[in-house]
Amino acid sequence: MSVAGAVGCSGGPLPAEAVEDMRLFLATMLPDAVGEAVEQIAADVRRQAGDIVRPVPPGSAHITHAFFGDVSDRQLDELRAAVTDVARRAVPVDVTFGPPEVLAGGRTPRLVLVPVLDGRQALFDLQVNLVLAVRRVASFERLPLPKAPHVTVARFRRGAGQREAERVARVLARVSPAGLGMRVDRLQLVESLLMPDGPRYTALDEVDLSA
């Protein structure tokens, strides 16, 4: 995997050698046009429904393939090798996105997301293969299988309930963009640094899907 630069925050590329206990996930960052459309959805929700959601940081929207949590320097090389092995045997996946929607846990709204429609099964299969490969790395044997592929647009603030979810859903019905799509042709290993105003992401490594 090659070393990439910062995503959605300031700073330059990080060296391949990593510090211990980084909070990492595997993702594909969105191209500019799709990312800007996602940011516009979040802005429309904030403007029309009020300050009940927290948009993802500008320039950081992505499709998550696997969340690793805390990763030590010792584990990092093994993660890189597992991901690179799968990527070199995988082909790019063309996807299109559906209308934005609210994801809830029970009666509590959690996310505003844009689901993957066309290409969903092929992308999900790739994600499963990545998780199964990483499970062979010590301490990741129980890494959960991926959820349905999507892009997180915004997160609901604590205390939001069904009334707020319905308000946001009404806004989403009016702001759905048409024809959003992209090619998933690379993977990024991303560090997530939790800050008071939301997470900050830095892409540490990148590998192409090159079968």
Side-chain angles (χ1 to χ4, degrees):
M1 299 179 80
S2 62
V3 179
V7 175
C9 61
S10 60
L14 295 185
E17 296 76 13
V19 297
E20 292 189 358
D21 297 324
M22 294 183 294
R23 189 171 183 263
L24 301 182
F25 63 93
L26 189 68
T28 297
M29 309 308 296
L30 303 188
D32 290 344
V34 179
E36 289 167 4
V38 166
E39 291 172 14
Q40 186 59 55
I41 294 170
D44 289 341
V45 171
R46 284 285 296 269
R47 186 176 63 256
Q48 299 182 43
D51 190 25
I52 58 178
V53 297
R54 185 178 70 249
V56 298
S60 67
H62 59 273
I63 300 172
T64 299
H65 304 304
F67 182 77
F68 303 133
D70 291 337
V71 176
S72 70
D73 187 57
R74 177 180 55 82
Q75 297 167 317
L76 187 55
D77 285 342
E78 293 180 82
L79 278 181
R80 285 186 175 120
V83 169
T84 299
D85 181 63
V86 173
R88 287 177 176 169
R89 293 182 286 107
V91 297
V93 180
D94 291 317
V95 302
T96 60
F97 297 101
E101 60 189 53
V102 172
L103 176 68
R107 297 176 66 87
T108 302
R110 303 294 186 190
L111 303 174
V112 177
L113 61 82
V114 175
V116 172
L117 293 185
D118 296 336
R120 175 173 53 188
Q121 189 60 53
L123 184 57
F124 182 77
D125 291 345
L126 170 63
Q127 293 173 337
V128 169
N129 289 337
L130 288 163
V131 168
L132 294 179
V134 171
R135 281 181 175 178
R136 295 195 289 269
V137 177
S139 302
F140 291 96
E141 297 89 345
R142 297 185 179 181
L143 187 69
L145 289 173
K147 299 180 180 179
H150 66 274
V151 174
T152 297
V153 176
R155 293 175 172 83
F156 280 84
R157 295 192 182 277
R158 188 172 300 176
Q162 191 170 6
R163 180 179 299 177
E164 288 78 13
E166 291 172 353
R167 188 190 314 164
V168 169
R170 288 194 295 270
V171 174
L172 294 177
R174 299 193 296 267
V175 302
S176 297
L180 287 183
M182 62 179 284
R183 170 164 286 194
V184 178
D185 58 2
R186 66 196 62 193
L187 309 172
Q188 284 103 9
L189 185 63
V190 182
E191 180 182 14
S192 175
L193 181 63
L194 299 180
M195 305 292 287
D197 59 344
R200 291 292 181 268
Y201 301 140
T202 302
L204 303 180
D205 284 337
E206 181 177 285
V207 59
D208 293 337
L209 304 182
S210 55

